[in-house]
Amino acid sequence: EHRARCEAARQALGHGHLDSIAARDALHACHRDIAHEESVLRATQEALRREEASLAALQARCHDECAELASECSAAQQRRRLEEDRAAEVSIQLAQARAERDAEAQVAREHERRARTAMMAREQALQGLRSHEDLAVRTLKDAVAKLEGDFAQERADFAERDR
């Protein structure tokens, strides 16, 4: 009976020993799994830090680029306002130039009308002078003819008196 008990105890110890080895192996496997999970966790945390650093750099670059774009936009708006102001000035100058041109054209038309009127008056005056000259020439010829006739008469009268 001792023998049977001894054998039963040996078997129980053998089973216990086997259970203890299995438990130790399971415990070692758990430690390996935990070590692996810790390693994965550290790698994930490191990747997260890198991603956060990359995100921070990207956000800073985005902020810088947005500031630069805002500055360029502001400069473009300022240039546009200056160009609009210049266009308004040029429009005013153009309107003034057109008004001056129209006034000068009106003055030129008035001068041309006066020149035509003066030309017509000149032609009439020349016609009048020609007519007056013709009259003066005829009057002179008539006077010369009368004087010649009077001289001829007087010569004839002197000649008859002398006889």
Side-chain angles (χ1 to χ4, degrees):
E1 177 173 330
H2 284 325
R3 213 182 238 201
R5 273 191 198 164
C6 222
E7 193 60 41
R10 249 190 244 148
Q11 280 183 353
L13 278 178
H15 284 293
H17 180 67
L18 288 177
D19 287 340
S20 145
I21 291 173
R24 198 175 336 138
D25 287 345
L27 188 59
H28 285 304
C30 277
H31 283 299
R32 282 191 307 268
D33 289 345
I34 290 172
H36 176 65
E37 289 298 320
E38 286 176 344
S39 170
V40 168
L41 178 62
R42 281 191 301 273
T44 302
Q45 288 173 339
E46 183 61 31
L48 180 61
R49 279 193 297 275
R50 284 192 308 268
E51 288 298 319
E52 287 174 344
S54 175
L55 176 62
L58 181 62
Q59 287 175 334
R61 191 171 70 230
C62 182
H63 180 348
D64 292 344
E65 288 179 6
C66 285
E68 183 180 337
L69 287 174
S71 173
E72 288 177 11
C73 185
S74 176
Q77 288 173 340
Q78 180 66 23
R79 281 191 306 270
R80 188 197 75 225
R81 282 192 294 274
L82 290 174
E83 288 172 358
E84 287 174 350
D85 291 347
R86 181 65 183 137
E89 290 173 9
V90 168
S91 293
I92 290 170
Q93 290 173 351
L94 179 61
Q96 289 172 343
R98 285 180 177 160
E100 288 174 9
R101 183 200 62 201
D102 291 344
E104 289 172 357
Q106 180 62 33
V107 168
R109 285 190 293 273
E110 183 62 26
H111 283 301
E112 184 179 345
R113 186 191 61 76
R114 286 181 185 170
R116 279 195 305 265
T117 302
M119 187 62 91
M120 289 170 51
R122 178 181 171 269
E123 288 299 321
Q124 288 174 350
L126 285 174
Q127 186 63 31
L129 285 174
R130 281 189 215 108
S131 172
H132 185 69
E133 183 181 5
D134 289 343
L135 180 62
V137 167
R138 269 185 304 203
T139 303
L140 278 174
K141 283 183 182 178
D142 290 345
V144 168
K146 186 176 179 197
L147 281 175
E148 285 177 350
D150 287 346
F151 281 136
Q153 182 65 39
E154 237 179 87
R155 269 186 254 136
D157 287 343
F158 276 125
E160 220 172 283
R161 253 191 273 163
D162 280 344
R163 276 196 233 169

